[in-house]
Amino acid sequence: MVEHVQSLARGLAVIRAFSATAPRLTLSEVARATGLTRAAARRFLLTLADLGYVRTDGRLFSLTPRVLELGYAYLSSLSLPEVAAPHLERLAAEVHESASVAVLDGEDVVYVARVATARIMRVSISIGTRFPAYCTSMGRVLLAGLPPADLDAYLDQADLRRLTSRTVTVPSALRDELDGIRERGWAMVDQEMEEGLRSIAAPIRDRSGAVVAAVNVSTHASRTTLQQARRMLLPPLLATAAKIEGDLSSLTSPAKRDTS
């Protein structure tokens, strides 16, 4: 029997109600975003405030930096961000574009490492930022790496909303695109998540060959054509993915493990 602690789920929902676009919320807004009653939302907010995760001026509520502790255990145990960071710095310096690494979490990609050279999106991207997987280059690389049964489950339940006029929203068309990505080993997404944004991504594999993350370079359509992206951005991107894979492999190699 699956045990589900409803109060914990509701408390986490209250935390997730806050975002970069909604950093400060009223009690009514939190209740509406979470589906809780005002009384329940108030109890959770005051409890989170007592624990130091939320602050309030009496009307508006906002998260405190202490919420970072909730993700620290995961990030600190994950060697990928630390391994990827110097490679992303070199890649960004070489191509003069922003570079990132993300992992798949449910239907979203989550950024775990990033080096930004310029802001080219309406929203600011930082560690922990989430975007829908289906319309992002890293998301498609990660989806293409899923086992067939997992990919089938994703396509059956994913909400493929149209974000721009170019967004692929038909499951069969997305599957065809993922098949091509799996075959060629990289993904290019042209203005499907936001007008003007182009990105190209490659998979990062573990020692078993499983896709565990993705690395990408993003650029603005006004300064980089699709042909230029393939010619100038793809080779260093693929080289960077290979270097990150090499470092990850060395960390988990039996020869590197402490057997004492």
Side-chain angles (χ1 to χ4, degrees):
M1 182 180 71
V2 177
E3 296 184 357
H4 183 81
V5 182
Q6 191 175 55
S7 60
L8 175 60
R10 289 175 174 175
L12 293 173
V14 168
I15 292 175
R16 290 197 300 269
F18 298 90
S19 67
T21 56
R24 305 177 74 200
L25 297 171
T26 64
L27 173 58
S28 296
E29 289 170 335
V30 171
R32 186 162 52 250
T34 58
L36 297 171
T37 64
R38 280 174 53 87
R42 182 175 183 275
R43 288 197 299 272
F44 283 110
L45 286 167
L46 293 180
T47 299
L48 290 169
D50 286 342
L51 294 173
Y53 295 113
V54 166
R55 65 167 63 95
T56 180
D57 61 5
R59 177 179 173 272
L60 292 172
F61 294 84
S62 61
L63 299 180
T64 72
R66 191 169 187 178
V67 297
L68 296 174
E69 294 177 355
L70 300 176
Y72 179 75
Y74 169 72
L75 291 174
S76 63
S77 66
L78 187 68
S79 60
L80 176 60
E82 185 177 8
V83 168
H87 296 293
L88 289 183
E89 290 172 0
R90 285 191 286 270
L91 176 60
E94 179 180 354
V95 301
H96 306 292
E97 300 286 2
S98 299
S100 308
V101 168
V103 297
L104 189 64
D105 182 28
E107 296 185 7
D108 298 331
V109 292
V110 180
Y111 283 68
V112 298
R114 179 168 171 80
V115 175
T117 58
R119 182 168 173 175
I120 58 176
M121 294 186 63
R122 288 191 298 269
V123 297
S124 178
I125 301 175
S126 59
I127 304 305
T129 294
R130 307 172 73 95
F131 289 125
Y134 69 94
C135 58
T136 60
S137 61
M138 289 191 289
R140 288 189 180 171
V141 162
L142 292 163
L143 291 173
L146 287 176
D150 291 345
L151 179 57
D152 289 343
Y154 170 84
L155 291 173
D156 286 342
Q157 67 186 20
D159 179 17
L160 307 182
R161 290 173 292 142
R162 186 174 301 281
L163 302 180
T164 75
S165 61
R166 301 168 184 257
T167 309
V168 175
T169 59
V170 179
S172 60
L174 179 59
R175 185 187 290 277
D176 290 343
E177 176 65 18
L178 296 177
D179 288 343
I181 291 168
R182 194 178 304 111
E183 182 175 345
R184 65 178 176 266
W186 54 273
M188 173 90 79
V189 171
D190 181 26
Q191 306 179 75
E192 291 192 41
M193 189 177 75
E194 182 173 305
E195 294 290 349
L197 178 67
R198 285 181 176 146
S199 63
I200 187 167
I204 297 173
R205 303 177 184 274
D206 63 14
R207 295 180 71 242
S208 71
V211 177
V212 295
V215 56
N216 90 335
V217 171
S218 53
T219 185
H220 200 276
S222 64
R223 65 171 177 262
T224 307
T225 66
L226 294 175
Q227 293 74 19
Q228 288 173 328
R230 280 190 286 267
R231 187 176 69 252
M232 299 186 299
L233 302 182
L234 181 58
L237 175 69
L238 294 176
T240 297
K243 291 172 184 175
I244 295 174
E245 287 179 351
D247 283 356
L248 287 176
S249 179
S250 67
L251 285 176
T252 58
S253 170
K256 296 290 184 179
R257 292 177 187 153
D258 183 2
T259 58
S260 60

